Amino acid sequence: MPSTNQVPHLQTALKGPLLELEKHLLDNRTAIESWFRKQFKNTPAPFYGSVDLRNAGFKLAPVDTNLFPAGFNNLHPDLRSLAVHAAQHAVTQVCPIADGVLIIPENHTRNLYYLENVYALQTILESAGYEVHIGSLIPELNAPMVVELPSGNALTLKPIVREGDRVGVDNFFPCAVLLNNDLSGGRPEILEGIEQTLLPPMELGWADRYKTEHFAHYSDVTEAFAQLIDIDQWLINPTSIPCGPINFKDRTGIEELAQAVNKVLKETQTYYDTHDISCKPFVIVKSDSGTYGMAIMSVDSPEDILNLNRKQRNKMASVKEGLQVEQMLVQEGVYTYETMKDAVAEPVVYMIGSQVIGGFYRVHTGKTATDNLNSPGMHFEPLSFEESCVLPDDSQTPDASPNRFYAYGVIARLALLAAAREIADSKGNLPAIDAI
Amino acid sequence: MPSTNQVPHLQTALKGPLLELEKHLLDNRTAIESWFRKQFKNTPAPFYGSVDLRNAGFKLAPVDTNLFPAGFNNLHPDLRSLAVHAAQHAVTQVCPIADGVLIIPENHTRNLYYLENVYALQTILESAGYEVHIGSLIPELNAPMVVELPSGNALTLKPIVREGDRVGVDNFFPCAVLLNNDLSGGRPEILEGIEQTLLPPMELGWADRYKTEHFAHYSDVTEAFAQLIDIDQWLINPTSIPCGPINFKDRTGIEELAQAVNKVLKETQTYYDTHDISCKPFVIVKSDSGTYGMAIMSVDSPEDILNLNRKQRNKMASVKEGLQVEQMLVQEGVYTYETMKDAVAEPVVYMIGSQVIGGFYRVHTGKTATDNLNSPGMHFEPLSFEESCVLPDDSQTPDASPNRFYAYGVIARLALLAAAREIADSKGNLPAIDAI
């Protein structure tokens, strides 16, 4: 695994506000951790999650919260025991008597990096003391399939079967079933109404989830959090508005989308002006549901939307597994000013339960600070965080790596809390959120 | 902190049974972890604990289970985040709304290594997001006392005060009060009947606790565990019998003690003979209550007891803070065959809640394999475990360090489970223990 003691360099003259933020986070650590404990007690964290962050120096914000995270293979092996303990707690909390876990992965069998992730997840759960098997939803799979991985390990995919109200493989029908499949293709019939504990619940699949809802909850969460530690909410909250319905193919709703883009650009410009930030605002337009970087555009003027050619519109019209795009999320773009040897580096933070268990940088050459790093076909090099995100060091500067990682862990948990509130909301029992 | 990638060498020709044991532990990992989860669900683990182990190559057993562990400063800094997460869980479990923790340490102000331990505990809890202050029981302390530590840090001891049914310092009266004082001097009046959660409860102080009860529970636990994974219980269980009352000063009960010693020596010899172990059995005689290595003898014949001189008898007659010795634990001695550059090395494993968070070796020169390493005035060098005890590696030999550490973590948790059952028993609600 590529790994180095160095962490990416934050290449911006505009570090002031962020240093201030990081210092605030450090100074208010006890209050922050205590607040998180209360919040996650009120609204339990999803089983796991990863959060993509952008660090602009003057702003630190999440851009994507994935509740079916891949990439566990990119975490640093030295931090593995954190994941093992967290997994034990997370499984025990929902299923105290579980002896085993059935993992249901995505159906892609050619993406060996994804399958390395499944293998890493399996190993984490096995180390936590569970029997683990992989139950695949691949329709044509009739017998166990062994996949040799680049790491030298082998992963065995078995066809998932249903017996009564339980799913499993062979004679293995455990209490806990872990989804590592974001259900972009919809809710699989075989999982409907099972009596086992499905982690996370199917309602969190992208077929049912909207990014705009997530960011609305994130805005509530950061409003309370900003009050708690007395910061400007803008520092951690990207402006996010929904826009739709839009049909790129027959060009309905394009005008409204251009207006929404304009609105976000203007608001951002106003903030930049009043805070002496000499950057050009940009906006990310992406499908409100779906994942995998499909149907995403980075634009810096309403004309970019109005002047889309047919090919660009076709691209925006389809997302993973053919889910039809109808509503868009129009979101303030946050610059990526972290670089590693001139390559753009985007941090991704991983959590199991409410605990941060590590992270890595997507280090990408040949991309600019405004591009989307999680695009299809894009290649990145993972750079594991060598330090945990839970041990800030007061004796170092606020932007020293243990402290920067702590800040990443805090922002990632704010996004996780937003997801937890999204879940509670969908069940109709969303508690109030208070700063104290 | 002294630290090296090397782990002590196991210097014995008799590794066979232990390799067998380690292999069994590895092969049955899922069953073991699942069993521990069930047991700790039935009988919750104490807040924290450390377990001293002895590794004879042919036998691996605990010799001391400390429920007020010192030595947190000896754990490897790389494993600190494990402790932080475990502390969060352990505090939350007993006191979900706690914002702060009051630590009550031992009264020794000159033992700077002990105070480094208190500082380490404070830092772990602070990193877990709690406000932490030290409330000292030192009678003559009227104002805060700042102690400069060898590490360069400073520890502030404040006089503990009581207001109504709460104890605290200044205006700090948190929900959770953590004892790091083994109460050898008895139960402090100021802590009686407080409404705060005292961790662990005062009943676990050495004034109320008997080692023979602990080892009786340990024997029950290992009987079930040996059934679970189909091993000979003897491999992990030292023969332990109570003997008393004894008064060393007026020589009453000495004869009975010699007989008890003889019984354990004979039983051990019989086992050695039938298993081709060519070692000379020995026996540890120690006070059934109390700690700190006082009132401990290593003997290899009943005559050693009968021929004690006045000085030796006086030494045995007193334990820490003058607690009168009345009953003794007579325990099969377990050889220490781990060495580091010819120095004897004794592993100590640390747990917070039911989670192993690390450990270290007491590396001691000038002592033999049968001596007690935790004697008063004895100097040892700590050698931190660099690896966690939670990640065995199937691709390595059973005695490779991750696997040996995993075995240590298992045996330490068996002792912790015995302590948990000791607590449940004292409350009159001891559940049955099953192998499955």
Side-chain angles (χ1 to χ4, degrees), chain B residues 329-378:
Chain B
L329 163 66
V330 177
Q331 188 169 60
E332 172 195 348
V334 180
Y335 281 87
T336 305
Y337 277 141
E338 282 189 291
T339 56
M340 189 78 202
K341 295 176 192 146
D342 294 333
V344 169
E346 184 192 53
V348 194
V349 175
Y350 282 72
M351 288 149 298
I352 294 183
S354 58
Q355 297 195 326
V356 178
I357 57 151
F360 68 93
Y361 282 99
R362 288 198 185 94
V363 180
H364 192 79
T365 50
K367 275 262 156 180
T368 68
T370 62
D371 283 340
N372 171 52
L373 294 187
N374 195 13
S375 308
M378 294 304 313

Side-chain angles (χ1 to χ4, degrees), chain A residues 153-352:
Chain A
N153 298 304
L155 186 74
T156 305
L157 304 175
K158 294 181 176 178
I160 193 168
V161 291
R162 180 151 177 166
E163 280 186 13
D165 286 337
R166 297 179 87 86
V167 290
V169 295
D170 305 330
N171 293 314
F172 180 73
F173 292 81
C175 157
V177 179
L178 181 59
L179 276 176
N180 195 250
N181 181 312
D182 68 13
L183 307 180
S184 291
R187 300 162 67 109
E189 179 63 30
I190 198 171
L191 298 179
E192 292 290 357
I194 58 169
E195 65 178 31
Q196 292 146 299
T197 304
L198 193 58
L199 299 171
M202 279 210 276
E203 288 66 34
L204 294 182
W206 277 118
D208 292 298
R209 209 178 147 221
Y210 292 95
K211 294 188 181 75
T212 48
E213 282 178 21
H214 176 69
F215 281 101
H217 284 294
Y218 182 74
S219 182
D220 292 347
V221 163
T222 49
E223 186 183 351
F225 183 78
Q227 260 183 50
L228 174 78
I229 65 165
D230 193 23
I231 56 164
D232 181 352
Q233 186 190 354
W234 186 88
L235 288 174
I236 55 175
N237 189 36
T239 306
S240 308
I241 58 175
C243 185
I246 286 167
N247 189 320
F248 282 96
K249 283 195 173 159
D250 60 18
R251 304 196 58 143
T252 51
I254 300 284
E255 193 73 37
E256 290 78 2
L257 181 59
Q259 281 164 15
V261 166
N262 198 40
K263 183 169 183 283
V264 175
L265 286 172
K266 279 199 161 164
E267 280 183 19
T268 308
Q269 186 64 61
T270 305
Y271 194 95
Y272 282 5
D273 289 344
T274 52
H275 290 76
D276 287 328
I277 296 166
S278 57
C279 294
K280 188 173 168 59
F282 70 102
V283 159
I284 296 288
V285 176
K286 52 181 155 183
S287 166
D288 202 6
S289 54
T291 182
Y292 277 86
M294 296 239 187
I296 298 194
M297 282 182 298
S298 172
V299 295
D300 59 13
S301 83
E303 287 70 37
D304 289 347
I305 299 292
L306 297 173
N307 300 335
L308 285 175
N309 63 31
R310 175 182 296 270
K311 192 179 161 200
Q312 289 167 318
R313 282 187 286 113
N314 276 345
K315 192 185 154 207
M316 288 303 289
S318 68
V319 292
K320 188 193 169 203
E321 295 189 15
L323 214 70
Q324 191 59 36
V325 172
E326 294 192 324
Q327 182 167 278
M328 305 302 285
L329 162 67
V330 178
Q331 188 169 59
E332 171 196 350
V334 181
Y335 280 88
T336 304
Y337 278 141
E338 282 188 292
T339 56
M340 189 78 203
K341 294 178 192 145
D342 294 332
V344 169
E346 185 193 52
V348 194
V349 176
Y350 282 71
M351 288 148 297
I352 294 183

Side-chain angles (χ1 to χ4, degrees), chain A residues 30 33-34 37-38 41 80-82 84-85 88-89 92 96 98-99 127-131 355-356 388 390-391, chain B residues 30 33-34 37-38 41 80-82 84-85 88-89 92 96 98-99 128-131 355-356 388 390-391:
Chain A
T30 307
E33 297 300 328
S34 170
R37 276 195 295 273
K38 274 172 206 148
K41 189 166 168 280
R80 174 65 61 92
S81 47
L82 272 182
V84 169
H85 276 179
Q88 257 171 354
H89 278 288
T92 304
D99 280 350
S127 298
Y130 298 96
E131 185 178 348
Q355 297 196 326
V356 178
S388 77
V390 298
L391 291 175
Chain B
T30 308
E33 296 302 327
S34 169
R37 275 196 295 273
K38 274 172 206 148
K41 188 167 171 277
R80 174 64 60 92
S81 46
L82 272 182
V84 169
H85 276 181
Q88 256 170 354
H89 278 288
T92 304
D99 281 349
Y130 298 96
E131 185 178 349
Q355 297 195 326
V356 178
S388 77
V390 299
L391 291 175

